[in-house]
Amino acid sequence: MPETSTPRRRALVLAICCMSLFIVGIDITIVNVALPSIQDDLGASVSGLQWVVNGYTVVLASLLMLAGSTGDRLGRRRTFQTGLALFTFGSLLCSLAPGLGWLVAARAVQAVGGSMLNPVAMSIIVNTFVDPAERARAIGVWGGVAGISMALGPVAGGLLVGSVGWQSIFWINIPFGLAAMALAQRYIPESRADHPRRPDPVGQGLMIVLLASLTFTLIEAPDAGWTSARTLGGFALAVAALGTLVRYELRRHEPLIDPRFFRSVPLSGATVTAVCGFASLSAFLFLNTVYLQDALGYSALRAGLYVLPMAAMTVICAPLSGRLVAARGPRPSLVVAGIAISVSALMLTNLDNHTPVAQLMAAYVVFGIGFGLINAPITNTAVSGMPRSQAGVAAAVATTSRMTGQSLGIAVIVSVVVSSVHGTLGSGFAAASHVGWAIVAGCGLVVVVLGILTTGPAAMRSAARVAERLAAPSPAPSPDSRTPISTP
């Protein structure tokens, strides 16, 4: 590929891709600190605030796999630029939203655009950096930028909401989006897959039903009742969608997501690690936002500044993690990250309205270390052992898992905490949050265990076997593309 034959051009391509990741990542977390202001301005309930966050992450998670295959078919740069345009337009709509429903709908528009950015950008990176060592360093930078952007979101949100208003958190996406579009046109060469996968509308529909029904049920369960017909029916629909999706995708010649991928222990481990790590992040941000602003009565600016230690440690540790993964593999970063997440959560399991500031700061610092270390090894573990042609799909699976974790962290942990509140948020939230922090600590322990089990020689052998099966010729499909695929 002559357009990216020099190190300088490859670095420019990486920088442009990281710019798109930065605006998507910061948008995920910047909203959290603005939620109390949005609640006051638009009259939203707690479940409404959850939808402001999850209206974005559910749509994003649902469409990531489709966006990746669309880039392979229609052109990666074209898809990338279309995603930037939609994301920028959706950000403008968010800033103009007159009510909660409009805001959630605008967030969905943002998510449609955002879904076209991360997996397509990863495909661009994988196909630009053909040397394995250079590619590992590029993926490390990519993972570091993801962690940094999400960590800076609450701080930037606090500054903007406190000085301008909640609408301003969406304005900052517009100049970045426009700049990235122009730079992509100038420096990123167009590319397509040699044999792109065909569309899978049935699989895509089942994916949306699965994530939407599960998230909706978990968010609305505290109001409807955990044993109500609506809640049980929602869970039943999610389970049915999952089972149907797996059976259908196994029979397709070119599935949206090949269930055989998950026979790779590193990929499966990265998937669960991403869910646990990012569920912890979303819960951390949401619980702290409500605690600092509703329970303690702090302003958005002060609340944003309180989490600055977490952001600072993430900024420091994220690039270090990328280099550590390149030098020592993903295990050290994953184990330390899981321990740090668990320790920080345990430090907050006795939270009350008089918890010393020093204790909060210490917990935030430790959590920042954990989250800063976790992102780079997730992507590295996901693509480990995969053939180059499948690396983009594996990365998209990891990114989908991150967004699913974000949604479930808000839906599960926050819903459990809200169900435990006695009295007002101001008086009862701190005590109710204890169960949420215990769940976060459990998520950290899962990361530790998976970091050990999914990075050893046996795990890598499973990835090699999956890579061989994926590379083997598949039988010709039947006219409806549903011929079973035989595997050795």
Side-chain angles (χ1 to χ4, degrees):
M1 186 179 293
E3 296 89 343
T4 56
S5 58
T6 67
R8 179 177 178 273
R9 293 300 293 263
R10 291 195 293 273
L12 281 171
V13 170
L14 178 61
I16 296 165
C17 291
C18 286
M19 184 184 297
S20 73
L21 177 65
F22 184 84
I23 61 175
V24 171
I26 199 170
D27 191 81
I28 291 172
T29 58
I30 197 172
V31 173
N32 282 275
V33 77
L35 291 177
S37 297
I38 293 173
Q39 183 178 33
D40 292 341
D41 195 18
L42 303 182
S45 62
V46 174
S47 63
L49 296 181
Q50 289 176 269
W51 277 115
V52 172
V53 178
N54 278 348
Y56 179 87
T57 55
V58 169
V59 174
L60 190 68
S62 299
L63 298 179
L64 282 168
M65 299 301 299
L66 172 64
S69 61
T70 300
D72 290 341
R73 282 196 311 275
L74 302 182
R76 297 184 179 105
R77 185 181 68 185
R78 177 185 300 177
T79 304
F80 184 69
Q81 289 179 296
T82 301
L84 286 167
L86 279 173
F87 186 84
T88 303
F89 179 63
S91 298
L92 177 62
L93 292 179
C94 287
S95 69
L96 301 175
L100 182 66
W102 288 99
L103 178 57
V104 173
R107 292 279 284 163
V109 174
Q110 267 191 310
V112 174
S115 71
M116 300 180 189
L117 300 180
N118 288 4
V120 178
M122 177 54 70
S123 293
I124 292 171
I125 290 172
V126 168
N127 285 275
T128 297
F129 294 87
V130 295
D131 177 73
E134 193 177 18
R135 184 190 306 158
R137 288 192 295 269
I139 292 175
V141 172
W142 169 267
V145 169
I148 290 169
S149 65
M150 290 187 176
L152 290 179
V155 180
L159 292 171
L160 290 169
V161 173
S163 58
V164 182
W166 65 263
Q167 293 86 350
S168 61
I169 64 175
F170 300 107
W171 295 342
I172 64 170
N173 296 329
I174 297 174
F176 280 103
L178 294 175
M181 289 172 61
L183 291 170
Q185 181 65 33
R186 175 67 179 85
Y187 293 108
I188 295 180
E190 185 60 279
S191 64
R192 295 176 177 84
D194 294 333
H195 303 287
R197 291 173 295 154
R198 286 181 292 180
D200 181 8
V202 175
Q204 182 61 65
L206 289 169
M207 177 78 78
I208 293 173
V209 171
L210 167 61
L211 293 178
S213 60
L214 180 60
T215 305
F216 176 84
T217 303
L218 289 169
I219 289 177
E220 299 299 328
D223 291 331
W226 288 95
T227 58
S228 68
R230 188 173 76 177
T231 299
L232 296 178
F235 285 134
L237 177 60
V239 171
L242 175 61
T244 305
L245 176 66
V246 172
R247 289 195 302 272
Y248 180 82
E249 295 296 271
L250 283 172
R251 293 173 59 85
R252 274 190 63 84
H253 178 61
E254 294 179 332
L256 175 74
I257 177 170
D258 194 333
R260 294 181 302 167
F261 265 67
F262 297 98
R263 296 177 185 175
S264 165
V265 173
L267 178 65
S268 295
T271 299
V272 180
T273 298
V275 170
C276 291
F278 280 74
S280 299
L281 174 68
S282 62
F284 175 89
L285 294 174
F286 199 105
L287 294 178
N288 272 295
T289 294
V290 176
Y291 172 71
L292 293 172
Q293 295 192 49
D294 287 314
L296 300 186
Y298 293 169
S299 66
L301 176 58
R302 187 175 180 183
L305 292 175
Y306 260 57
V307 297
L308 185 59
M310 185 276 282
M313 295 311 301
T314 300
V315 169
I316 293 171
C317 292
L320 292 178
S321 179
R323 290 197 288 270
L324 181 61
V325 169
R328 298 293 182 88
R331 178 179 289 184
S333 291
L334 288 173
V335 171
V336 176
I339 292 173
I341 289 172
S342 291
V343 169
S344 66
L346 290 173
M347 293 172 68
L348 298 171
T349 52
N350 63 345
L351 199 67
D352 59 36
N353 288 5
H354 305 286
T355 298
V357 172
Q359 180 179 335
L360 291 177
M361 295 297 103
Y364 295 172
V365 165
V366 176
F367 188 91
I369 293 171
F371 184 69
L373 292 173
I374 201 171
N375 206 40
I378 287 174
T379 300
N380 181 277
T381 305
V383 302
S384 292
M386 288 293 176
R388 180 182 168 192
S389 61
Q390 300 292 337
V393 179
V397 171
T399 304
T400 300
S401 302
R402 291 183 180 97
M403 296 304 101
T404 302
Q406 289 271 104
S407 299
L408 293 180
I410 294 291
V412 176
I413 299 175
V414 175
S415 293
V416 170
V417 170
V418 170
S419 299
S420 304
V421 172
H422 298 289
T424 65
L425 286 178
S427 62
F429 182 81
S433 71
H434 296 173
V435 64
W437 293 119
I439 296 173
V440 173
C443 288
L445 291 178
V446 172
V447 172
V448 174
V449 173
L450 291 176
I452 296 171
L453 296 180
T454 65
T455 56
M460 295 307 299
R461 287 195 294 270
S462 75
R465 289 193 296 270
V466 170
E468 291 176 3
R469 289 169 178 158
L470 293 173
S474 299
S478 62
D480 64 356
S481 297
R482 292 172 62 184
T483 301
I485 299 175
S486 61
T487 56

